[in-house]
Amino acid sequence: DQQVKQNSPSLSVQEGRISILNCDYTNSMFDYFLWYKKYPAEGPTFLISISSIKDKNEDGRFTVFLNKSAKHLSLHIVPSQPGDSAVYFCAASEGGATNKLIFGTGTLLAVQP
Amino acid sequence: DAGITQSPRHKVTETGTPVTLRCHQTENHRYMYWYRQDPGHGLRLIHYSYGVKDTDKGEVSDGYSVSRSKTEDFLLTLESATSSQTSVYFCAISPGPGEGSYEQYFGPGTRLTVT
């Protein structure tokens, strides 16, 4: 049972345009959401996060939107750059003492020059 | 970057042999985690630790054990490796929600092949 779903295995966009990566979740107890970026042969790196009490968080070119009623979050990258080409994972946490994260299956973003 | 190293980075082993992977951190973070990454599954939690000698199971813990005898080291052991344990293994660390952070920081990974 996949609690965090990334239904698009891959996405291709042109350099300078907007990239939108989507993530859906089923567990209403999740209250913290994160996005990670992963290059081949490297570990995932933390990108941006959002608490369930917010609906938007922005950090430079990266913005995460949270729609709790739809159990949906998205990551916007504007403008997209070739160096953004990587696998993006969304993750969710119920919080609490364990701090366990549940990850989606990832979306491979290719930014074409 | 958080100070996390994993060893070995690559290993090929035979079915039935024991294997131990090591995660070492220099950040003095309380929480440490072991994940495996497989195509179509993303990252799945194997075991985690919330302090020295304090560990618990994740969602895919069968066939794995862990130990944490000091803050900086978290060991993952495959008692008798099987081909289904061929994967890329990542260690992660976190200061924990008590420090106001849910972010986890990952090591470079260990690619394990069981033949």
Side-chain angles (χ1 to χ4, degrees):
Chain A
D1 181 26
Q2 195 78 19
Q3 297 185 68
V4 179
K5 303 177 184 179
Q6 294 177 258
N7 293 317
S8 297
S10 63
L11 174 68
S12 181
V13 298
Q14 291 295 122
E15 181 178 4
R17 304 296 293 268
I18 184 172
S19 295
I20 300 176
L21 297 100
N22 294 304
C23 181
D24 297 293
Y25 62 95
T26 58
N27 186 346
S28 59
M29 298 299 292
F30 288 146
D31 69 353
Y32 200 79
F33 303 88
L34 308 91
W35 284 94
Y36 284 82
K37 175 180 179 179
K38 186 182 179 305
Y39 292 120
E42 295 184 10
T45 55
F46 169 71
L47 198 54
I48 192 169
S49 62
I50 188 167
S51 166
S52 61
I53 63 173
K54 297 184 177 180
D55 55 16
K56 176 182 174 182
N57 189 27
E58 190 171 356
D59 184 0
R61 296 185 298 114
F62 302 92
T63 303
V64 56
F65 295 93
L66 176 62
N67 183 334
K68 286 187 65 179
S69 61
K71 294 191 177 66
H72 177 83
L73 65 155
S74 61
L75 175 68
H76 293 212
I77 307 173
V78 183
S80 301
Q81 300 173 353
D84 295 329
S85 298
V87 176
Y88 289 79
F89 291 100
C90 68
S93 172
E94 292 185 21
T98 64
N99 197 31
K100 291 191 289 187
L101 296 181
I102 305 297
F103 283 83
T105 52
T107 296
L108 174 62
L109 173 66
V111 180
Q112 309 297 332
Chain B
D1 289 345
I4 317 170
T5 56
Q6 293 185 232
S7 58
R9 294 293 313 279
H10 302 271
K11 186 169 182 67
V12 179
T13 192
E14 294 185 350
T15 298
T17 60
V19 177
T20 295
L21 309 182
R22 180 183 185 237
C23 178
H24 179 79
Q25 62 148 327
T26 58
E27 303 297 319
N28 200 38
H29 284 343
R30 178 182 173 190
Y31 289 76
M32 298 185 75
Y33 307 82
W34 277 107
Y35 292 88
R36 60 179 288 174
Q37 185 196 6
D38 303 289
H41 289 279
L43 292 105
R44 293 181 292 173
L45 181 65
I46 305 171
H47 281 280
Y48 66 100
S49 169
Y50 46 96
V52 174
K53 299 191 187 302
D54 293 323
T55 65
D56 206 348
K57 296 178 180 180
E59 63 178 305
V60 290
S61 59
D62 287 349
Y64 302 94
S65 62
V66 290
S67 65
R68 190 170 179 200
S69 59
K70 45 187 178 177
T71 299
E72 57 266 36
D73 290 325
F74 193 32
L75 304 181
L76 177 70
T77 297
L78 291 66
E79 300 291 347
S80 177
T82 68
S83 58
S84 64
Q85 294 176 312
T86 292
S87 187
V88 181
Y89 291 85
F90 290 102
C91 174
I93 64 174
S94 173
E99 300 293 326
S101 170
Y102 290 99
E103 288 85 29
Q104 295 181 13
Y105 302 96
F106 285 79
T110 294
R111 181 172 293 276
L112 175 68
T113 303
V114 183
T115 61

